[in-house]
Amino acid sequence: MEILRTNLAALLLRLAADGLGEAENFPFVDPPDSRALGDGYRLLQELEALDAERRITRRGRVMARLPLDPRLARALLESKRFHAEGELLAIVAGLSVPDVRIAAPPGNPAARNQAEDSASSAAFEDPKSEFSALVKLWRAYRKAREGPRRELRRWCKERQFSLLRLSEWDDVYAQVVERAAEVGIVAQPQAASYTGVHRSLLAGFSTMVGSRAEEGVYLGTRAVRFHIFPGSPLARRRPRWVMAANIVETSRVFARRVAEIEPQWIEAAAAHLLKREYLEPDWDEEREAVVARERVSFLGLILSANRVVNYGPIAPEESRRIFAREALVYQRLRRRPDWLLANDAAVREAQRLEERLRTRNLLQSFEAFVEFYERALPRQVSSAATLEYFTRHLSQPERRALTLEARHIFASEPDAQALAQFPERASVDSLSVPVEYRFAPGEAGDGAILQIPLLALPGLTRAAVDAAVPGLAEPRIEALLRSLPKDARRNLIPIGDAAAQFLASTTATEGAATQPVAADVASLKRWLKERRGIPEPLLRFDLGAVPVHLLPQLVVTADGKEIAQGRTLADLRRASAAAARAELERRARADYGLVGAWRRFELDTLPDKLPLTLEQGIIWIFPTLLRTTQGLQVRYEWSAAEAKRRWRQAAPLLARAMLAGQARDLGKSLAGNAPLLLAASPYMSSGTLIDALLQRAFGRACFDDAEAPRTRELYAKAVDQGRARLHDCLDEIVANTLRWLADAREVRRALEAADTASAADAMQESNEHLRRLLSAEALESASPDWLRQLPRYLKAEQRRWQRNASRGSESPHILQQLRDWSARYASLEKQVGGELRWLPELDDLKHWIEE
């Protein structure tokens, strides 16, 4: 039984062409089944011979003039488009007659032998298409027909072809050619391509296609499943997509007269029968357009599943919304016109206000911006190209309509007073530094970020940093107050009011014109004790309870580059110490490099301090002299104390250079003082001792152990006056040094008399103490007050061991305390040294440890 009945379709087409009305109303003797009529109408509509209302079309009228089945007529009409008229005339005529091959009866040996003899007929087969084989056979027959009739019969017999059917084919061909010429279809001399022939055929047989499934089964249209007829040369190849001339059901459903095709040919041949679905529309940054995945199905067959297509012409309204959201609002469009860049800048500025105030309720939702652009843009704008075209032709009113104003951006206006508490440029000491705000809880960069110039970092204080952003002060104080024990918090409720009162009192203390400072823990403790009467034992703050975003973060920059980043000043100073020191020395060389190394006082005046102008403001630096490999040169220091310390060391060196002869003589006399060198040998080398004593002698003779003058005239006068005092001062210093060394010797004797086994750790600590007291650095740079205390310290060390000798041992906690304080001093000295700095507080701590 044939599945698709085309003869009834031919009848319906003829009735429509002759204007005889619908088949249901025609007076048939034996009326056809209504389902058969429905199938016929459906086929004609698929071939576009009838429209949806079953009215005949122009194409249908042309098809009706051809003496062919409607499928063949439709294919022949399409051949004109692909210039395949000659091949299609032969094929449609051949398909209109029975198969010209003579099948051997089964079980007949003679017939089988005859079939074996006719193997030459395989020359007409085509591995890709039985339609192409039909064309080959037609051309071979036409050539054989040119000879005698007897030769034609022998040719047909050898190849097992029916001469009668070939003649019938020839007659049909002649009729079709004659009628086709009437509608403008004429065979062309040049051969057509495989694609052209089969795309023409596909116009008539578009519903007779299939896609290979499992086990050689093909899935056809409307869920039909079939196999390729076993006698077909394509049965062994099993191509991915096939087209058939007919599908019949015998023992199984078979497709006969098949050819290999491409699925995209079906899309072109049956565009009116396709179903297109568009999935996952989105903005494509590479194509710069809104795209979607297109799924094309044809009567149940999937022709294409994931083709990416431009979605704009398909769904303009939806595409414009996607374009507005993804490309414009989420800024995935790279080529942005000037008006859009201005809108982006306005939104970023508004977002910065949210970051400053740590809120997310100032701006409109993103969907509000999407709706704004939807209203302002034409429906066809959904790609970079259409946006550029639209922008080029913008009028002034249209441009104004595309401009985001404050009323479009803000859901609620930011409070000006609140913004003032979070300035974009903060005052840090004498500098005005930019502040960046990030509202990113849990991330490293959350909070306020101050851009600090490299040269300003060493002089920066924690109080100045905390005061830079006033809006962080109150929540920071609240966090500290909430970290107190419950008994202390009981007197502070409400905590917010207590924090505000503390800041108000601090502001009043600092002055009305001063920004509220972020007071440290010590001042907060003092206020709580004095104003709220909270006892000292309850004032236990948990600094870890302060949220990290309330402590401003610092980014250290130099020449526009980031040097270090963090929240702890000490860590930042250590990380950038080398770069800061190198930059400071470069500035000093730039200012005083022409002076070179000093052999006398080279300037009229060496100033105490100088202003250094930075982009953010002015900082103060302090010139001094520093011994380098090239000699004494001008260098800058971060603080007056450091500069004075360097100057106390450099001034005697410069005097020694100016009085080089006397310095040489004094050095020789010290080198010949054997008792002195021998007594000092446990603590320093001879050269180190001589240098330290000369430094001391020149400092006392020329400057009376005070700070040296910083003008050329006064300095030269002091050196000249000290010339005559050098020997006396040196003798006095040597005598004092000998006494100190003698006292140290007594300490060493007391150590030797001690019980080594029980006091080994204490003896080691005492020897380290002596080396610190009598080091070259101590003798050279210690203040006169310190040196006056030195005999007392040595006598105390001696008494310590005399007491230990009488008592037999020393209390362990004394040694532990000494070790702890010495370790603390060493740790602080290491930390400050890591910053390439010196602090006078270190000397104060050392003095307190000695006491």
Side-chain angles (χ1 to χ4, degrees), residues 365-421:
S365 67
F366 275 11
E367 286 303 312
F369 295 126
V370 172
E371 292 173 2
F372 170 82
Y373 286 122
E374 269 199 297
R375 291 191 300 268
L377 292 173
R379 66 193 299 270
Q380 68 270 20
V381 175
S382 61
S383 66
T386 54
L387 183 65
E388 287 180 3
Y389 178 83
F390 172 67
T391 300
R392 283 198 302 268
H393 299 84
L394 272 179
S395 64
Q396 285 301 322
E398 289 173 330
R399 187 176 293 272
R400 284 194 297 271
L402 285 167
T403 302
L404 282 173
E405 299 176 358
R407 59 190 176 88
H408 301 128
I409 297 174
F410 289 104
S412 60
E413 291 288 337
D415 182 32
Q417 292 183 349
L419 285 174
Q421 296 295 304

Side-chain angles (χ1 to χ4, degrees), residues 668-748:
K668 288 179 180 179
S669 68
L670 289 173
N673 192 337
L676 174 66
L677 299 181
L678 183 61
S681 60
Y683 311 107
M684 67 193 88
S685 65
S686 298
T688 305
L689 174 64
I690 291 171
D691 188 65
L693 295 180
L694 287 177
Q695 279 288 97
R696 200 87 219 175
F698 274 84
R700 180 171 297 178
C702 298
F703 314 117
D704 292 327
D705 285 331
E707 186 174 354
R710 298 176 71 92
T711 64
R712 178 186 291 166
E713 181 181 355
L714 294 178
Y715 188 90
K717 183 178 180 181
V719 171
D720 190 52
Q721 290 175 352
R723 188 193 306 268
R725 301 175 55 198
L726 282 172
H727 286 279
D728 295 339
C729 290
L730 182 62
D731 291 342
E732 180 184 354
I733 290 170
V734 169
N736 289 335
T737 305
L738 283 171
R739 284 196 295 272
W740 300 335
L741 294 172
D743 292 340
R745 187 164 57 251
E746 294 300 323
V747 176
R748 293 168 65 86

Side-chain angles (χ1 to χ4, degrees), residues 476-507:
R476 186 165 55 243
I477 298 301
E478 280 190 39
L480 285 172
L481 294 177
R482 293 183 190 281
S483 72
L484 288 171
K486 184 177 180 180
D487 291 340
R489 294 200 311 271
R490 187 178 294 114
N491 299 324
L492 300 175
I493 295 174
I495 297 291
D497 291 349
Q501 291 170 15
F502 167 71
L503 290 174
S505 67
T506 308
T507 305

